[in-house]
Every structure is written in C-alpha cells, then in structure tokens.
Amino acid sequence: MNEIKIKAMGKINLGLDVLRRRPDGYHEVRMIMQNVELGDTLRFVKTEEEGISIRTNKKDLPVDEQNLVYKAIRLMQEEYQLPGGIRVSLEKQIPVAAGMAGGSTDAAASLVAMNRLFNLKLTEERLRELGLKLGADVPFCIMGGTALAEGIGEMLTSLPKAPACYVLIARPDISVSTKEVYESLQEEGIVSHPDIDGMIQAIWKKNLSGVVERMENVLEAVTVKKHPVIEKIKDKMRQEGALEAMMSGSGPTVFGIFADAVSAGEAYKQIVASGLSAQTYVTRFADCGQVVLAEE
Ligand code: ATP
C-alpha cells in the first residue's frame, strides 16, 4: 500500500472532573470523552526519499517537528526502523488549541496510517501505548467513540454509544492556555464535582436528558472568569433551544446539545449572527476516532 486517506474526529467532554494534582504536576481527571463528526482529513503518501513533509490549509500551524503528525510519524519510523519518508496533507477543520483534541486526533490518525501503510499489524492496545508518548488524549483518540477517561486521561473504559442528538460547536476568537487554567484551578479550588457516575448510567440507559442534566466541567469557572464571552455563548445557545451548553476541555470551545436538526440549525444561524463565535459548526456524535476514507 502506498497511500491512505483518513478522517480524524474531534472530541468534546460531556463531563470533566479533576480529582487531584499528582506530585509530578499532572492532574488526575475523570472525564466523559465523546468523539464528534467534525474532523480533519489527512492523506499520507509513502516516498522513496527519507524525511517527513507536511502541507496544511491552516495558516500559522507548524509543519515541522512541532506538529503532532510529524512527531507521530517519526515515533513510528524510529520504533520500527521504517524505510523511506512520508508526505502528508493535513486539512484542518477542528478548531486549533480549542479543547477539541485536534492535534491529538491527528497524531492518532498518523499512528493508524503508519500501521496500515507498513503492514505492521500492531494491536489497538500497542497503538494506544505509543500514543500516550505523544499526549494524554491520544489513546482516547485511537480508541474513539464514547469513553470514561481516568488517570491523566489514558486509563480508558469504553462506554456504549451516547444517545443521538445534534451538537452546535462555537469557538470564540480568544486563546486559552491549558497550563494557566490548571494553575488557576489549583489556586481557586473546586466548588462542586460533576456526577460522572450518574452520567455513565444515563449513557447506558440511552437517556439523553439524564446525560444533559449532568453536564459539568470543573475547568469552566476558571476560564469563564477570564473570558466572559464563554458564558455569553452558553446563554445564547440555551436561549436558542439548547438542552444544555458547556465548555469543552480547557476551552475556549463551547458546545450545545440539541434534540433535533432544525433547532440546531436555527441556533447555528443565531450564534453566527451574534458575532460571539469565530468558528461555528453543527455536528453529531461519532462512534469512532477515525475512519479510513481511501487506500491504494
Ligand atoms: P486538547 O483538547 O487535547 O487539550 P486542544 O484542542 O486544546 O487539545 P490542539 O488543537 O491539539 O489543542 O492544539 C494545541 C497546540 O498544538 C497548538 O498550539 C498547535 O500549534 C499545536 N499542534 C501541533 N500539531 C497540531 C495539529 N496537527 N493540529 C493542531 N494543533 C497542533
């Protein structure tokens, strides 16, 4: 096989709890991870000449060794002594640095691509192990679907498909530093913890309102304090019919859950017209982390 095209899905957190800060500085979390169909498209081509080259539609995104795609390919080349090089085209659609694991899902797709291109026959478990070297969210992006993530995000328990709904994604034009968010959380403390176990039960029962009423993200209070636009978007989504709205990850992306396509579509128009969001999409839950679109 010489080339492969993969769609790499973004994620949202339906629930995000932080349990404690470990002595090594990492935070122990309990999160409900959910893939969404909003995704990046990556095409990988084997080349005879050595090296990794990346082209992307996203201005300002590094295409050198800072790109997670680059890091993932190099990891596989070194680990398995792979010959030749790889040319990648990366079409970004997932908002960058937005709490949607865009870089992590691209890295996951790169590991999957290399496994297939070189017929390495690595198990999902091995790919998840390699993925963890690239980032805490990468193992989930390999597993995909709906999952409970514990530890620093790498201890995964697969959950059944979450109840179907429409998801409105809005990314305001602000940047948030994940490191600063966790530091502020440390100083300010956590007032209330989300009911993650209750949400898991609601997912098993396919009870959308049970899921929605337990949506909570402990990082939200910290980020909202610095960026009130996040609360404004949440309010707007609720006004426009969202069952609930919440920030994903450390932000700044906000998502709203809608019961049907019509109300999600109407809310999309209102959010765009409000000028509060710089990137707005309607999407749905995805039941996998990546899909192979073509290979030859
Ligand atoms: P998470 O939800 O896992 O915290 P995120 O969605 O907040 O991640 P990313 O979109 O992964 O953040 O981007 C974080 C940083 O990673 C950006 O500053 C970006 O420059 C860098 N980066 C490296 N490779 C990529 C990639 N392929 N796509 C997006 N960002 C990348």
Side-chain angles (χ1 to χ4, degrees), residues 55-91:
R55 275 189 331 179
T56 177
N57 62 329
K58 186 83 194 166
K59 273 198 304 178
D60 307 329
L61 194 68
V63 289
D64 56 8
E65 63 278 358
Q66 291 176 64
N67 197 299
L68 277 155
V69 170
Y70 191 108
K71 287 184 187 169
I73 295 172
R74 195 170 55 188
L75 177 67
M76 293 291 266
Q77 287 176 331
E78 286 174 359
E79 195 78 21
Y80 297 101
Q81 303 291 312
L82 304 176
I86 300 285
R87 195 170 70 232
V88 187
S89 75
L90 166 58
E91 202 186 305

Side-chain angles (χ1 to χ4, degrees), residues 251-266:
T253 297
V254 175
F255 65 91
I257 300 290
F258 291 79
D260 61 85
V262 175
S263 59
E266 279 305 314

Side-chain angles (χ1 to χ4, degrees), residues 183-203:
E183 278 167 10
S184 310
L185 182 74
Q186 199 62 33
E187 284 161 24
E188 293 168 25
I190 299 170
V191 190
S192 97
H193 288 275
D195 178 13
I196 298 286
D197 291 325
M199 184 177 281
I200 292 171
Q201 281 178 20
I203 290 171

Side-chain angles (χ1 to χ4, degrees), residues 11 61-62 66-69 90 92 95-104 106 137 178 250-251:
K11 67 94 181 133
L61 194 68
Q66 291 176 64
N67 197 299
L68 277 155
V69 170
L90 166 58
K92 289 275 334 164
V96 174
M100 292 193 68
S104 303
D106 293 348
D137 281 348
T178 303
S250 54

Side-chain angles (χ1 to χ4, degrees), residues 240-254:
E240 300 302 331
L243 301 174
E244 184 52 296
M246 192 179 94
M247 185 181 85
S248 184
S250 54
T253 297
V254 175

Side-chain angles (χ1 to χ4, degrees), residues 9-29:
M9 316 294 176
K11 67 94 181 133
I12 54 175
N13 301 97
L14 294 173
L16 195 161
D17 197 8
V18 176
L19 305 185
R20 68 180 187 108
R21 187 170 186 267
R22 299 197 317 199
D24 62 6
Y26 282 103
H27 286 82
E28 237 165 62
V29 292

Side-chain angles (χ1 to χ4, degrees), residues 148-169:
L148 167 70
E150 297 173 289
I152 61 163
E154 87 294 8
M155 282 165 52
L156 299 169
T157 308
S158 184
L159 295 172
K161 229 168 145 168
C165 60
Y166 288 79
V167 186
L168 177 59
I169 305 263

